[in-house]
Amino acid sequence: MNAGEALRSITGFSTARIIEPLSDGPSNSSYRVRRGGEDFVLRLDKPATTELGLDRATEKQVCDMVAAAGLAPAPVWFDLERGLYLRHFQSGATWSVDQLHDKANLERLAGVFRQVHRLPAPAKQFDPAAAASRYARQLGGAEAQRLSQHAGQLWQELQGTRQPDCLCHNDPVHSNILESNRLMLIDWEYAAAGDAWFDLAVVVQHHSLQKPLRDHFLQCYLQRGLRAEDRQRLRLMADFYQLLLQLWKLRVR
């Protein structure tokens, strides 16, 4: 179905209208919707949703929980079978890469992660090493296999210092960080139980944070002085994330 048909199928939204498209990614398309004087975000899944390993039932559970904690906009409608999701539109602006190179902003973001990681972990676990293997199988070829094997080696090394699983966003890139009436995270489609340091690694690696900013961010998150093993673990996780990102980009291009 198209966006207009999807909107009309949602109870109470037959007279709502689509204002503008917001994104068109590999797994979904999203639109800004208006009903009366209130705005919403409508998301429509694409066939690649399943192939990329996304679990909408877990996402619904997580979205309800983080909205109740004030860490994300509130969901309005989930249709898991048809791949429809409607949530309240939250006014504000997503961060730029430059905003992640500001120490005060990193301190604020570290505080958000501490809140997220204290919430109950869902039953669904996100296994980044398994995701790397899945992308490599779907891609085929020697290069994908090489990246996957290297990622697997790093992940195995990280297991020796693994902490208990917690709720993780797993995709906290700058465009998923929203500056509104408070700092929020949006787009929780990859959220699951996992390693908190993966969230931290995405921030530092995806946005090319250099050592002083990495140390500042990690220290703000841990709320203590850093040890050599802290820096080493973040470096390994950042290296792992870079390999996973390379595979994901190859998979969705």
Side-chain angles (χ1 to χ4, degrees):
M1 70 181 77
N2 61 38
E5 292 169 337
L7 188 59
R8 288 189 293 273
S9 74
I10 298 174
T11 302
F13 281 80
S14 60
T15 61
R17 57 194 178 93
I18 295 170
I19 301 300
E20 60 178 343
L22 294 175
S23 66
D24 186 19
S27 64
N28 64 78
S29 300
S30 64
Y31 304 84
R32 186 170 178 174
V33 169
R34 183 163 297 158
R35 184 184 66 174
E38 191 173 7
D39 285 7
F40 303 82
V41 176
L42 172 68
R43 188 186 71 194
L44 307 180
D45 279 350
K46 295 181 179 179
T49 297
T50 302
E51 296 172 7
L52 292 172
L54 298 175
D55 183 334
R56 295 310 193 199
T58 296
E59 182 188 5
K60 180 182 185 304
Q61 175 191 357
V62 170
C63 284
D64 287 338
M65 182 167 53
V66 295
L71 297 170
V76 175
W77 184 275
F78 259 103
D79 187 327
L80 302 179
E81 291 186 3
R82 295 190 299 164
L84 304 183
Y85 172 41
L86 185 74
R87 67 166 172 84
H88 288 280
F89 177 84
Q90 185 72 42
S91 61
T94 55
W95 276 12
S96 66
V97 173
D98 286 345
Q99 284 174 282
L100 280 155
H101 288 250
D102 177 88
K103 283 188 172 183
N105 283 339
L106 289 175
E107 184 173 352
R108 296 169 63 215
L109 183 59
V112 170
F113 279 129
R114 286 197 306 274
Q115 290 179 276
V116 170
H117 295 159
R118 284 196 296 263
L119 293 173
K124 174 75 173 183
Q125 184 180 49
F126 175 57
D127 185 342
S133 296
R134 182 172 64 252
Y135 296 157
R137 287 195 305 272
Q138 292 169 350
L139 285 162
E143 176 63 8
Q145 185 62 28
R146 182 190 68 80
L147 292 171
S148 176
Q149 286 179 348
H150 189 188
Q153 291 166 359
L154 289 176
W155 190 252
Q156 189 61 40
E157 187 174 351
L158 283 159
Q159 300 317 292
T161 55
R162 189 179 178 97
Q163 302 295 310
D165 283 353
C166 65
L167 172 63
C168 296
H169 183 281
N170 292 317
D171 191 28
V173 298
H174 65 94
S175 56
N176 287 336
I177 304 169
L178 181 70
E179 188 74 62
S180 185
N181 56 328
R182 63 178 295 181
L183 195 60
M184 294 183 171
L185 297 174
I186 57 174
D187 291 347
W188 291 81
E189 62 180 354
Y190 288 97
D195 190 322
W197 289 62
F198 185 81
D199 275 346
L200 308 182
V202 173
V203 171
V204 303
Q205 185 67 27
H206 197 91
H207 308 99
S208 303
L209 269 61
Q210 298 304 305
K211 185 178 183 300
L213 288 177
R214 287 185 178 216
D215 283 357
H216 178 73
F217 179 54
L218 186 55
Q219 187 167 0
C220 288
Y221 176 79
L222 296 175
Q223 295 186 301
R224 60 168 172 77
L226 297 185
R227 298 188 282 262
E229 54 265 33
D230 298 326
R231 295 185 177 93
Q232 171 69 357
R233 191 167 204 277
L234 185 60
R235 184 188 66 78
L236 287 174
M237 190 67 84
D239 289 347
F240 169 84
Y241 170 73
Q242 184 60 39
L243 293 167
L244 181 64
L245 181 62
Q246 288 177 258
L247 285 163
W248 186 85
K249 286 181 176 180
L250 290 170
R251 173 63 184 79
V252 302
R253 72 181 180 184

